[in-house]
Amino acid sequence: MPWGTRRSRKSRRRLAALGPSAAPAPARAAERCQRRSPDYILQKSKMSNLRILSLSQKRISNLRINNACCCEIPAGPRGSGPPGPLRTCYSSQAGLVGNDVKSLHAIINPPVAKIRNIGIMAHIDAGKTTTTERILYYSGYTRSLGDVDDGDTVTDFMAQERERGITIQSAAVTFDWKGHRVNLIDTPGHVDFTLEVERCLRVLDGAVAVFDASAGVEAQSLTVWRQADKHRVPRICFLNKMDKTGASFKYAVGSIREKLNARPLLLQLPIGEAKTFRGVVDVVRKEKLLWNPSSADGRDFERKPLLETSDPELLRETTAARNALIEQVADLDDEFAGLVLGEFSEDFDLLPAEKLQTAIHRVTLAQTAVPVLCGSALRNKGIQPLVDAVTMYLPSPEERNYEFLRWYEGDLCALAFKVLHDKHRGPLVLVRVYSGTLKPQSAVHNISGNCTERISRLLLPFADQHIEIPALTAGNIALTVGLKQTATGDTIVSSKSSALAAARRAEREREGQHRPAGGAERPLLAGVEIPEPVFFCTIEPPSVARQPDLDHALQCLQREDPSLKVRLDPESGQTVLCGMGELHIEIIHDRIRREYGLETFLGPLQVAYRETIVSAARATDTLDKTVGDRRHLVTVELEAQPVGTSSAAPVARFSESVSKDLLRASQEAIENGLHSACLQGPLLGSPVQDVAITVHSLTVHPGTSTTMISACVSRCVQKALKKADKQILEPLMKLEVTVTGDYLSPVLADLAQRRGSIQEIQTRQDNRVVIGFVPLAEVMGYSTVLRTLTSGSASFALELSSYQAMNPQDQSALLSRKSGGL
């Protein structure tokens, strides 16, 4: 990309932030140094080495720190005056006298108690990326405020993200805030990229849930909240867009209470709403925070105590809110209840704010309630108190209880949760270290892949820029270079012997607790559940000669995105892409063109149906084949039956007549045959689910290979499935349409034509929210139709609910279309 484009100018601004040596001109560098200095200005006089690397065809600054460096950090907001720069020198010599001197180790690996690993999660267009951009600006990481509409944000650095104004893949950024190290991950809000949120929440210690104050809890808000519940992640809520028309603090808090079944702790109250929003009230300290309207960047704000003389009404409202907050926290925390009922029972105003904050921290960590703050990221209001709340209320890594750590006893234990590909350096793997220390040029053992690899470098992530570091200690998140075989969800330890020692400790613990020992020999960390794709289409290279290049591109993209599946059609020999939605496949196609230089051709988008059976059927098959001088003979009799519970994989059962010795030797081969037979059903060639296969008899000639056993079993299962009564299952989507009352009738009429089932119609401010279920095949291209029906005023969200059986008429019509197209 030319050095003069906007994207390149953004990179040059970031390079300039690294110090005078990286600035394009001395005059420009001097002008920038007169402004407020950011956290990561690294002075040339203290730098030992500066290298410029490349990642994904973007310019990346890679700063190798060997000896010592200097950094200037802002003092932070204090009242109405602008914060002055505070010069802090970092020295490699630890233990020097003076508050401004720290060791290099403290820069790279701060104390665990000062680390916060957090994620920003929300429904699409709630303001996650804008909030992240403001946080980076006020922390000193960036010099200018990026904007999603302008396409110059830090975390949305992909070309597709900047063009569409949405987050597609999660991006990690590391920054400092008032003595704390914050590792922040900005996650997508679109349903097609739910896996990105899932795998990031798996390794985070806390999260910030962002809500549109005019909409409250929306469809994807509920999804990501459930994901956080699944991984037991403490979180705080930020009601964004308080300046938006229709914003309602009361409504948004009510939706959190009702839809999320959460207990909101109101730590702030807004001063005005919509056009009148100008600040917030700190309920804990009974102070008002007002942002200077003449300040363009929102850095300047004043904090004033509420007084009876100047703000009598606001003071009474805040006092009532603080008393209610104290009572809420006392109900949830016994230690705080004893303090309140004892020393401060007469007057809650005498209760110190620090005591209340400590109790809120304990309640947040226990996940019995969620602190709620408010503001407007786009208007630069309320962000600094939000980051203060992150460091104050969300837990550090040592406050999270990870049971598996006692098996490793301080030895290295890390989880790989995301893979990125770089053309020059290969795969870059994001890892979270739970215990021990990770160092460059060291060998590590991958328990999941049962392989040993060597890490060549460690990088602190700054979106699409990185700083090389000498070590990574427990509680931190960083990028590794050199792991060629590691994938998402893999567990990394120091050596194979370390894994075996951890397994033995886990085994002894299970024996002491009289638990089954299944899988104790491989103490893996829990990975992520990869959802099944719902769309697929064929993809072809521009020529046969470019097929290897396409295979390589798809292999790299699959490793980055486990929700993308690629398979080969056995009949046509075509490559088939399977994804989570129309946008997902569109993005993959665009990335292949931009990043790998391949002008590929996509076939028509098709729905990923499933098949099942509704009656039992029995079949017998014999395979008799001689290969060389060796005879392979297998005879199997089995029965296929429908099962009541949902099961993607076939359930294997064995009759008592099957020899136990033969079963022990052939069970794996039999199960492989069952699974391969259910990959393609007899009706559409779609995967078969919700079936149980019972093997009644099995005869194997001595010397028969396991491959022949699998082939015979697979062929017999196919016979049984063809005999049974068959049923097609189609994906059913949960649909949520937000529309004004004027257009409600045409929207409902259109959904009725799409075989939609309306569950309820809710009222959200001046809008109506239609909640129902619609078959996925009926909502392809729905966004265009909805815009036409409502003059562009409506929005919708989709989420996979389940697979349901098609009625006979729709199934016959589908089979007729498929057979006609062949």
Side-chain angles (χ1 to χ4, degrees):
M1 184 175 289
W3 191 235
T5 63
R6 180 175 63 187
R7 175 68 186 90
S8 299
R9 287 200 301 271
K10 182 70 176 176
S11 297
R12 287 195 292 174
R13 287 199 298 270
R14 295 183 193 167
L15 289 173
L18 292 174
S21 62
R28 202 166 198 172
E31 178 185 354
R32 291 182 177 177
C33 289
Q34 292 175 359
R35 304 179 185 177
R36 297 183 183 90
S37 303
D39 280 69
Y40 295 100
I41 296 181
L42 302 177
Q43 301 295 342
K44 182 177 180 181
S45 61
K46 296 290 186 177
M47 256 195 294
S48 62
N49 192 7
L50 177 65
R51 289 203 291 259
I52 305 300
L53 301 178
S54 174
L55 171 65
S56 301
Q57 298 179 338
K58 301 178 181 68
R59 294 189 175 269
I60 299 171
S61 65
N62 177 27
L63 183 64
R64 190 179 185 94
I65 306 173
N66 290 329
N67 299 317
C69 58
C70 267
C71 178
E72 294 184 3
I73 64 174
R78 336 177 197 178
S80 58
L86 173 65
R87 184 176 180 82
T88 304
C89 296
Y90 297 120
S91 170
S92 59
Q93 301 176 3
L96 296 179
V97 179
N99 295 329
D100 290 340
V101 180
K102 299 180 181 179
S103 67
L104 175 64
H105 182 79
I107 307 170
I108 306 304
N109 293 299
V112 179
K114 296 294 185 180
I115 298 175
R116 298 292 183 271
N117 296 313
I118 67 165
I120 307 290
M121 61 181 197
H123 183 85
I124 189 171
D125 203 31
K128 299 178 301 301
T129 301
T130 304
T131 301
T132 302
E133 191 69 23
R134 271 46 179 179
I135 290 174
L136 297 180
Y137 179 73
Y138 298 131
S139 67
Y141 171 64
T142 57
R143 285 179 174 267
S144 61
L145 288 171
D147 192 275
V148 173
D149 295 332
D150 294 338
D152 59 354
T153 57
V154 174
T155 52
D156 283 356
F157 53 84
M158 290 177 60
Q160 295 87 347
E161 293 176 316
R162 298 191 170 211
E163 289 173 358
R164 291 169 171 81
I166 63 172
T167 301
I168 293 171
Q169 68 174 13
S170 53
V173 180
T174 300
F175 63 90
D176 289 337
W177 182 266
K178 298 183 179 179
H180 291 79
R181 169 64 49 83
V182 181
N183 298 313
L184 182 148
I185 297 181
D186 179 24
T187 63
H190 198 282
V191 67
D192 286 12
F193 311 106
T194 300
L195 180 66
E196 282 287 324
V197 185
E198 174 86 12
R199 62 179 173 182
C200 292
L201 287 175
R202 170 64 185 84
V203 299
L204 296 176
D205 300 316
V208 177
V210 180
F211 300 91
D212 184 336
S214 65
V217 176
E218 299 175 88
Q220 192 66 8
S221 307
L222 187 57
T223 300
V224 297
W225 192 271
R226 288 170 181 162
Q227 290 175 312
D229 283 338
K230 174 182 173 182
H231 296 292
R232 300 287 301 162
V233 177
R235 68 219 77 150
I236 61 179
C237 299
F238 179 63
L239 304 183
N240 192 26
K241 302 189 178 183
M242 284 301 304
D243 63 313
K244 184 179 177 181
T245 302
S248 171
F249 183 79
K250 183 179 179 181
Y251 170 78
V253 172
S255 68
I256 292 174
R257 183 182 293 108
E258 295 168 9
K259 295 185 179 181
L260 303 179
N261 293 322
R263 295 183 179 180
L265 301 177
L266 305 186
L267 306 189
Q268 291 179 349
L269 298 175
I271 302 178
E273 290 180 348
K275 293 182 179 180
T276 62
F277 177 72
R278 58 194 181 94
V280 299
V281 172
D282 185 341
V283 174
V284 176
R285 295 187 176 275
K286 296 174 71 172
E287 297 174 337
K288 63 179 180 180
L289 284 68
L290 298 176
W291 273 260
N292 187 352
S294 62
S295 175
D297 60 1
R299 189 185 290 273
D300 300 336
F301 67 95
E302 56 182 355
R303 181 187 290 268
K304 292 182 177 180
L306 292 172
L307 302 175
E308 183 69 35
T309 55
S310 57
D311 304 288
E313 186 63 32
L314 193 57
L315 178 60
R316 282 193 292 273
E317 184 181 353
T318 304
T319 301
R322 189 175 192 269
N323 293 341
L325 175 64
I326 292 173
E327 292 174 359
Q328 273 184 289
V329 177
D331 288 340
L332 301 171
D333 187 83
D334 293 339
E335 181 181 342
F336 184 70
L339 182 68
V340 170
L341 295 176
E343 189 176 350
F344 303 101
S345 58
E346 298 296 329
D347 188 359
F348 286 170
D349 288 340
L350 299 178
L351 179 69
E354 291 74 16
K355 298 285 187 182
L356 180 54
Q357 289 169 341
T358 302
I360 294 173
H361 174 77
R362 290 196 300 266
V363 168
T364 305
L365 184 59
Q367 300 178 57
T368 52
V370 287
V372 176
L373 301 95
C374 61
S376 172
L378 186 63
R379 303 302 175 195
N380 313 315
K381 294 181 175 68
I383 301 302
Q384 297 95 326
L386 174 64
V387 192
D388 289 338
V390 165
T391 59
M392 190 177 302
Y393 302 122
L394 291 180
S396 66
E398 63 183 2
E399 291 179 300
R400 295 297 304 278
N401 181 25
Y402 298 109
E403 295 183 358
F404 59 84
L405 289 182
R406 59 177 178 270
W407 300 342
Y408 291 93
E409 295 185 346
D411 203 357
L412 174 65
C413 177
L415 181 70
F417 67 95
K418 185 175 173 63
V419 179
L420 302 171
H421 267 274
D422 173 61
K423 288 187 175 180
H424 304 288
R425 291 178 292 175
L428 307 176
V429 183
L430 267 167
V431 298
R432 158 73 190 268
V433 179
Y434 287 95
S435 66
T437 303
L438 205 58
K439 294 182 178 180
Q441 305 302 325
S442 61
V444 294
H445 181 69
N446 184 333
I447 303 180
S448 309
N450 194 24
C451 61
T452 298
E453 300 188 83
R454 182 172 295 277
I455 295 176
S456 58
R457 292 175 183 171
L458 287 175
L459 307 172
L460 271 185
F462 294 92
D464 61 339
Q465 301 183 22
H466 307 96
I467 291 181
E468 189 167 347
I469 57 176
L472 191 72
T473 55
N476 280 289
I477 292 175
L479 274 167
T480 61
V481 182
L483 298 180
K484 305 296 184 184
Q485 302 178 52
T486 302
T488 297
D490 287 355
T491 303
I492 297 172
V493 295
S494 58
S495 63
K496 193 169 185 177
S497 60
S498 172
L500 294 174
R504 286 193 293 268
R505 296 185 192 105
E507 179 69 25
R508 286 196 296 268
E509 181 179 313
R510 286 191 179 94
E511 289 177 354
Q513 297 177 357
H514 304 289
R515 294 182 181 178
E521 68 279 1
R522 298 179 68 187
L524 300 173
L525 305 187
V528 294
E529 294 182 8
I530 300 173
E532 288 296 320
V534 294
F535 277 114
F536 71 91
C537 66
T538 58
I539 182 170
E540 295 181 359
S543 64
V544 177
R546 301 300 302 273
Q547 184 66 47
D549 297 333
L550 176 60
D551 293 339
H552 171 71
L554 292 176
Q555 183 181 7
C556 294
L557 291 171
Q558 276 189 100
R559 194 172 174 194
E560 287 188 34
D561 182 4
S563 64
L564 173 68
K565 304 290 179 65
V566 179
R567 61 180 174 86
L568 194 66
D569 190 311
E571 296 181 1
S572 64
Q574 292 178 300
T575 304
V576 179
L577 277 184
C578 306
M580 300 305 300
E582 294 178 81
L583 179 62
H584 186 201
I585 291 181
E586 181 186 337
I587 294 296
I588 293 298
H589 184 222
D590 193 42
R591 290 189 63 187
I592 292 173
R593 179 178 62 84
R594 293 183 190 235
E595 298 175 21
Y596 297 92
L598 287 172
E599 292 291 344
T600 54
F601 304 98
L602 291 183
L605 205 61
Q606 302 180 58
V607 175
Y609 293 99
R610 298 285 187 270
E611 299 180 28
T612 189
I613 57 176
V614 293
S615 65
R618 187 180 289 232
T620 304
D621 197 9
T622 299
L623 185 148
D624 189 354
K625 191 171 184 179
T626 301
V627 180
D629 58 351
R630 188 175 176 184
R631 185 186 183 192
H632 303 270
L633 177 60
V634 185
T635 301
V636 62
E637 181 182 3
L638 51 80
E639 183 180 18
Q641 300 167 311
V643 294
T645 57
S646 179
S647 174
V651 180
R653 299 169 181 169
F654 300 92
S655 174
E656 294 182 357
S657 59
V658 179
S659 170
K660 297 293 189 295
D661 295 335
L662 181 60
L663 187 59
R664 275 194 296 270
S666 310
Q667 183 171 350
E668 185 177 352
I670 295 171
E671 292 179 351
N672 287 339
L674 298 180
H675 284 82
S676 63
C678 291
L679 292 177
Q680 288 188 308
L683 289 176
L684 294 174
S686 302
V688 179
Q689 67 178 42
D690 305 341
V691 297
I693 309 295
T694 304
V695 179
H696 290 289
S697 69
L698 178 67
T699 304
V700 180
H701 187 273
T704 300
S705 69
T706 56
T707 304
M708 295 299 178
I709 297 174
S710 297
C712 183
V713 170
S714 178
R715 195 167 66 182
C716 191
V717 171
Q718 289 282 359
K719 284 185 179 181
L721 293 176
K722 288 179 181 178
K723 288 182 180 180
D725 295 331
K726 296 165 284 292
Q727 175 74 60
I728 295 177
L729 305 175
E730 63 178 344
L732 187 67
M733 308 300 290
K734 182 179 180 181
L735 175 69
E736 184 176 297
V737 182
T738 304
V739 61
T740 59
D742 298 339
Y743 295 105
L744 180 61
S745 295
V747 168
L748 293 177
D750 180 68
L751 289 177
Q753 295 179 353
R754 297 174 182 271
R755 297 190 285 138
S757 171
I758 307 302
Q759 301 299 305
E760 61 176 321
I761 301 176
Q762 299 177 350
T763 300
R764 178 185 294 168
Q765 304 293 342
D766 297 329
N767 295 327
R768 299 293 182 267
V769 181
V770 181
I771 299 175
F773 296 95
V774 184
L776 177 60
E778 302 292 343
V779 291
M780 294 178 65
Y782 182 62
S783 58
T784 303
V785 175
L786 185 64
R787 281 197 299 268
T788 304
L789 284 175
T790 63
S791 300
S793 62
S795 63
F796 76 101
L798 283 174
E799 181 183 6
L800 179 64
S801 174
S802 62
Y803 275 84
Q804 72 167 9
M806 295 185 72
N807 62 54
Q809 294 81 8
D810 294 329
Q811 179 170 317
S812 299
L814 175 64
L815 291 175
S816 298
R817 289 197 304 271
K818 294 292 183 180
S819 60
L822 294 176

